[in-house]
Amino acid sequence: MNEALLRSLTPSVLGLLVRRGADFAAAEDAVQDALVEAVRVWPAEPPQDAKGWLVTVAWRKFLDATRADTARRRREDRVDEEPAPGPTPAADDTLQLYFLCAHPSLTPSSAVALTLRAVGGLTTRQIARAYLVPEATMAQRISRAKRTVSGVRFDQPGDVATVLRVLYLVFNEGYSGDVDLAAEAIRLTRQLAAAIDHPEVAGLLALMLLHHARRAARTAPDGSLVTLAEQDRGRWDTASIAEGVEILQAALARDRLGEFQAQAAIAALHADAPTAEETDWVQIVEWYDELARLTDSPVVLLNRAVAVGEADGPRAGLAALAALDASLPRHTAVAAYLHERDGDLATAARLYAEAAQKAATLPERDHLTRQAARLNARGTR
């Protein structure tokens, strides 16, 4: 097969799809899918009109993806924003698709990326941000995953751990407000918990419920972010908190600790505190130590530095932070917060302004900008 021909035809096929009404990102995905199909089919059945074949297949791929996306959004629209506790109603096939995309022929990271893109509806940029990698790197990873599964039989579903990772990332994107998928992730995790007796499935469901319980208090009427310490705890959903704690306690009693149970334990300690000042930060640090042992995640260590700063004082938090890579997302924002706690307002204001320039979302940028302005105003009095 002539790979040079494929490369030469790609721009014109992409342009034709865009002129037919496809947005660029969707057209690009469709063309990539058509190229994968060409690699599989052409050696045995070379077309007489290569460009016409690519345009036809790419347009069909685009229409299939559009229909699948529309169907997924219709499913999401049927889900109430606040998921009700209790048994899950009749399941659809979405969870099964998650398992099928987590195919054994893929590495776990590639399976997660492919599922988030193909089933979860997240963009390549959102997935890259979740994995802390450049968008171009993630685009290549997803393309390789598509090539790997092209032509294989989807009769070997992936493992539970990979599906849990996908559900967790989908929930985080929905919870951040960038894509409203949090309720859908909870719904699917309920289905999984009803089907599989696994402590980490229960841990993830508990974690989602505990975080989702604070959703109404996370933003002010003008849309600005409200930090955990400043949230009106009277607006937290106590029923979801109670359900999450009950599920978590049952999971922990099985003595098979996993990362989602550890994260849920931290969320439960926050939810249990009547006020921010009464938070049991010492125990939270201990749970972060467990979580770091389980995951070896730099993000976990970053959050641990904040907890250490609350439990042992801001200078201890800054010492923990100094051991981490300064390029980590939110590293500068954490440094600003700890310097403010330590009384160094000038440094804190400068770091808040610097963190605002690096913020991934508009609400986060606005919040950090306001923090810098607040400290600068105090410094001029």
Side-chain angles (χ1 to χ4, degrees):
M1 186 188 62
N2 193 333
E3 293 183 3
L5 175 63
L6 283 177
R7 287 195 297 271
S8 68
L9 290 175
T10 297
S12 59
V13 173
L14 180 60
L16 279 170
L17 263 65
V18 172
R19 287 195 291 275
R20 285 188 179 186
D23 68 81
F24 185 83
E28 191 174 34
D29 284 344
V31 171
Q32 288 298 319
D33 287 343
L35 292 175
V36 170
E37 187 75 2
V39 170
R40 186 178 68 86
V41 172
W42 284 13
E45 301 177 26
Q48 292 184 345
D49 179 3
K51 182 177 179 180
W53 189 98
L54 282 174
V55 170
T56 300
V57 173
W59 185 248
R60 187 177 69 242
K61 297 285 186 183
F62 166 73
L63 292 178
D64 288 345
T66 300
R67 281 192 288 266
D69 186 62
T70 301
R72 177 183 60 78
R73 294 187 184 279
R74 279 201 299 267
R75 289 196 301 270
E76 293 166 11
D77 290 341
R78 290 196 297 267
V79 180
D80 292 333
E81 182 168 308
E82 295 296 329
T88 303
D92 57 27
D93 62 352
T94 306
L95 190 58
Q96 182 63 19
L97 289 175
Y98 274 65
F99 273 96
L100 292 176
C101 283
H103 197 270
S105 64
L106 297 172
T107 63
S109 60
S110 294
V112 171
L114 177 62
T115 313
L116 290 172
R117 186 71 183 91
V119 185
L122 275 64
T123 66
T124 303
R125 178 174 297 177
Q126 291 164 335
I127 302 169
R129 190 172 67 233
Y131 270 92
L132 309 181
V133 299
E135 184 177 354
T137 300
M138 183 53 65
Q140 292 174 354
R141 184 179 299 177
I142 293 172
S143 294
R144 284 196 300 269
K146 289 179 179 179
R147 288 196 297 270
T148 299
V149 300
S150 175
V152 303
R153 289 176 57 85
F154 281 88
D155 54 2
Q156 294 178 276
D159 64 356
V160 174
T162 300
V163 173
L164 288 179
R165 177 63 52 191
V166 175
L167 290 169
Y168 176 62
L169 291 173
V170 170
F171 175 82
N172 280 345
E173 285 297 336
Y175 190 63
S176 73
D178 198 13
V179 178
D180 190 11
L181 293 173
E184 172 73 352
I186 291 176
R187 183 182 73 85
L188 293 173
T189 306
R190 283 194 188 280
Q191 287 186 10
L192 191 57
I196 299 176
D197 183 20
H198 192 297
E200 272 295 82
V201 176
L204 178 58
L205 179 57
L207 175 63
M208 289 179 174
L209 290 169
L210 289 164
H211 278 314
H212 204 69
R214 296 194 289 108
R215 183 168 186 164
R218 290 184 70 246
T219 55
D222 63 359
S224 59
L225 293 180
V226 180
T227 63
L228 176 60
E230 297 172 330
Q231 287 175 16
D232 178 1
R233 299 184 180 220
R235 299 184 66 196
W236 290 2
D237 183 346
T238 55
S240 290
I241 291 173
E243 185 188 7
V245 169
E246 182 181 0
I247 292 170
L248 173 63
Q249 288 174 339
L252 291 175
R254 300 177 65 175
D255 198 24
R256 290 170 54 194
L257 184 64
E259 63 173 295
F260 293 121
Q261 294 169 73
Q263 287 192 58
I266 293 169
L269 286 167
H270 283 299
D272 188 54
T275 65
E277 292 72 24
E278 296 173 86
T279 303
D280 189 347
W281 286 105
V282 172
Q283 194 173 169
I284 287 176
V285 171
E286 292 174 354
W287 276 111
Y288 271 122
D289 288 339
E290 289 286 348
L291 190 56
R293 179 181 62 80
L294 290 165
T295 66
D296 193 29
S297 164
V299 175
V300 168
L301 295 176
L302 186 68
N303 290 331
R304 180 186 177 277
V306 176
V308 169
E310 299 290 351
D312 300 327
R315 294 196 178 181
L318 286 167
L321 186 66
L324 305 180
D325 186 348
S327 66
L328 276 172
R330 295 186 57 248
H331 185 285
T332 307
V334 169
Y337 173 74
L338 291 172
H339 276 290
E340 180 183 358
R341 287 280 317 283
D342 195 39
D344 187 351
L345 302 188
T347 299
R350 175 179 59 79
L351 289 172
Y352 275 130
E354 184 180 331
Q357 296 177 348
K358 302 176 182 177
T361 66
L362 182 60
E364 183 181 0
R365 186 191 70 188
D366 290 346
H367 170 74
L368 293 168
T369 300
R370 282 193 296 271
Q371 296 295 90
R374 173 178 58 82
L375 294 185
N376 284 326
R378 287 177 59 180
T380 58
R381 292 175 185 171

